Amino acid sequence: MIRIDIVDDNLNQRTGHYFDFCFAIAREFKQAGFDVRVWVAQTASNDIAQHFEKLGVLFCRLPSLPPLTSQRNIDDYAHCMATALEKTEISQLVFFPTLRAENLLAVSMLGTVPRIVGLVHSEPFFDHPSTASIWRRATTTLRARDRERSITIGTIDPLIGGFLQSYLGSWSLVDMPVPIGSRSKFAYPAKPQTIGFFGYQREERGGHLIPEISQLLLQADYQVLIHDTLGRFKIDGILPGVRLVNGFTDDLAGLMKDCDVVVCTMDRGRYLHRISGIACNAIASGIPLVLPAGTLSALRFHEFGSSICYDNSTAKEIVQAVEGIAGDYPRYAEHAHRAAQQWGKKHGVRNLFDFLLEKILKPAGQQSESIPKL
């Protein structure tokens, strides 16, 4: 039986893309008859372990890794990860759903380089100041060792790929499918009725704005659905009539389709060069979208014509953006439905599975360099 390793040293809890991506691709490979191991952080919750074990997936914890506070610690971090992976039998494929520079540095320290695929989510200097030099150092080492081109580095967005390419020189990057997909919403009202907020409502996601926005929406006769992955969101009785879904949901797309507009309130500075998974889910589900202008999500999804952007992160301006969609809702709904169909041609977990399967089945030197962009 062919073995697949899925590695994410940031997977600690059942929230966000760390869990979603690992779980979705593990399930896909397991259902196809592969032997699957998932490697996660030493501190990962037992709740996560139970969900993977129900799939019949071997759940492995990486050793306790040093904090990434200095160059020496980064090297130690990579060495610890490489040592842990080297103690195991080499798999046919090692997949990093969220590949970071220190992960690739660990790969460069392995005695034998296996077939590796990694998906990069952030610009090279996002995590800490020395990240960019680590990318350069790791790829320089691997370029000399990986003669069979067994390592594939993909990016979650072409803009991220452009930033990263400038540090990797001639290393070929791939525009990979994003493992977020859904069937499109089909039934749309004449005007939007329910406005939704989704995900882990932390500070950088603008969760503090949601109570005031919700109050204004309720006053304008909208219904409001608030979802918080970690189940910590509180409205303390000040928002009667709001539907609050606290905790992880196995069917985020299904819950999202209860809404007619999805609002993203994330901090512009933090999401300037980061794609929003919630925005991706809304596009995949065929739901019109409100986004902060100047973010990567606003840039990427503008061409679909199913979103409106706001300039200032105030409750009043965000509600005005909702009203803008409401004023021409049939057109926004039509564009949203078309966007979902276009998204599904390239993205979704099945498309990513097919992409990874090609990497396993084809000799390294014969793999396609890239896949078509949208």
Side-chain angles (χ1 to χ4, degrees):
M1 184 181 293
I2 297 176
R3 174 182 287 153
I4 308 298
D5 279 315
I6 300 170
V7 183
D8 197 326
D9 49 319
N10 262 345
L11 179 50
N12 277 293
Q13 52 193 349
R14 197 169 170 229
T15 184
H17 78 268
Y18 298 117
F19 177 81
D20 291 340
F21 285 16
C22 287
F23 189 82
I25 202 65
R27 180 173 55 197
E28 203 73 25
F29 271 108
K30 190 63 183 178
Q31 290 175 349
F34 288 80
D35 183 17
V36 183
R37 294 186 301 196
V38 174
W39 295 81
V40 303
Q42 175 67 222
T43 53
S45 69
N46 290 330
D47 179 47
I48 293 177
Q50 291 168 7
H51 278 83
F52 281 105
E53 286 164 0
K54 285 178 183 177
L55 286 181
V57 167
L58 185 60
F59 188 80
C60 306
R61 296 178 190 271
L62 290 161
S64 182
L65 300 169
L68 297 170
T69 53
S70 69
Q71 183 63 55
R72 178 175 178 178
N73 276 16
I74 290 167
D75 285 4
D76 290 345
Y77 188 103
H79 179 73
C80 285
M81 177 175 280
T83 301
L85 294 176
E86 249 179 353
K87 288 179 181 177
T88 68
E89 187 179 333
I90 294 296
S91 295
Q92 189 73 13
L93 175 73
V94 180
F95 177 49
F96 289 85
T98 307
L99 181 70
R100 295 180 297 133
E102 49 270 19
N103 300 144
L104 196 65
L105 187 62
V107 170
S108 74
M109 295 175 178
L110 295 173
T112 302
V113 180
R115 187 73 53 82
I116 300 279
V117 176
L119 180 59
V120 180
H121 294 242
S122 304
E123 59 197 0
F125 38 83
F126 181 80
D127 292 318
H128 42 83
S130 60
T131 304
S133 64
I134 301 169
W135 281 115
R136 196 187 300 277
R137 179 154 61 102
T139 49
T140 299
T141 301
L142 287 168
R143 190 180 291 112
R145 297 184 59 200
D146 186 25
R147 300 297 184 186
E148 296 186 4
R149 292 159 56 201
S150 58
I151 297 175
T152 301
I153 300 177
T155 55
I156 201 166
D157 185 88
L159 184 67
I160 300 301
F163 283 126
L164 186 58
Q165 189 72 73
S166 63
Y167 286 89
L168 304 193
S170 61
W171 191 286
S172 181
L173 293 175
V174 175
D175 185 27
M176 280 171 59
V178 178
I180 294 175
S182 172
R183 293 180 182 274
S184 176
K185 182 181 175 86
F186 283 95
Y188 297 89
K191 289 188 175 181
Q193 298 171 6
T194 303
I195 315 301
F197 304 84
F198 293 88
Y200 174 16
Q201 304 300 347
R202 58 193 185 274
E203 184 67 23
E204 70 171 8
R205 292 285 313 284
H208 62 286
L209 293 168
I210 293 177
E212 186 181 355
I213 298 169
S214 299
Q215 204 159 35
L216 292 176
L217 290 171
L218 290 170
Q219 289 170 5
D221 292 328
Y222 292 102
Q223 299 172 37
V224 176
L225 189 158
I226 302 172
H227 165 250
D228 178 40
T229 308
L230 287 187
R232 297 174 181 171
F233 200 85
K234 292 180 174 59
I235 54 179
D236 298 325
I238 62 171
L239 298 171
V242 167
R243 180 183 172 192
L244 178 61
V245 180
N246 257 335
F248 184 87
T249 174
D250 290 312
D251 186 11
L252 180 64
L255 184 63
M256 197 173 275
K257 285 172 196 167
D258 288 347
C259 299
D260 306 307
V261 176
V262 168
V263 177
C264 292
T265 56
M266 63 269 198
D267 178 80
R268 182 178 289 103
R270 292 291 292 170
Y271 280 83
L272 185 65
H273 298 142
R274 287 164 74 192
I275 210 77
S276 163
I278 295 302
C280 290
N281 271 285
I283 293 293
S285 300
I287 305 172
L289 189 58
V290 170
L291 292 164
T295 59
L296 178 53
S297 296
L299 166 69
R300 190 58 56 219
F301 300 138
H302 171 75
E303 63 189 65
F304 291 127
S306 60
S307 61
I308 279 185
C309 296
Y310 56 88
D311 294 332
N312 300 304
S313 295
T314 65
K316 183 178 179 180
E317 190 161 331
I318 292 169
V319 171
Q320 285 175 346
V322 173
E323 294 282 21
I325 289 180
D328 196 6
Y329 192 68
R331 182 174 68 86
Y332 280 100
E334 181 183 353
H335 283 295
H337 182 64
R338 194 179 304 149
Q341 294 173 319
Q342 192 173 349
W343 177 272
K345 290 177 182 177
K346 174 182 173 181
H347 299 293
V349 66
R350 187 68 202 188
N351 284 328
L352 179 59
F353 171 78
D354 290 342
F355 175 85
L356 295 174
L357 193 62
E358 180 189 26
K359 297 294 176 185
I360 296 170
L361 298 180
K362 281 190 176 182
Q366 296 179 19
Q367 291 163 14
S368 58
E369 285 298 315
S370 63
I371 54 180
K373 297 181 181 179
L374 287 173

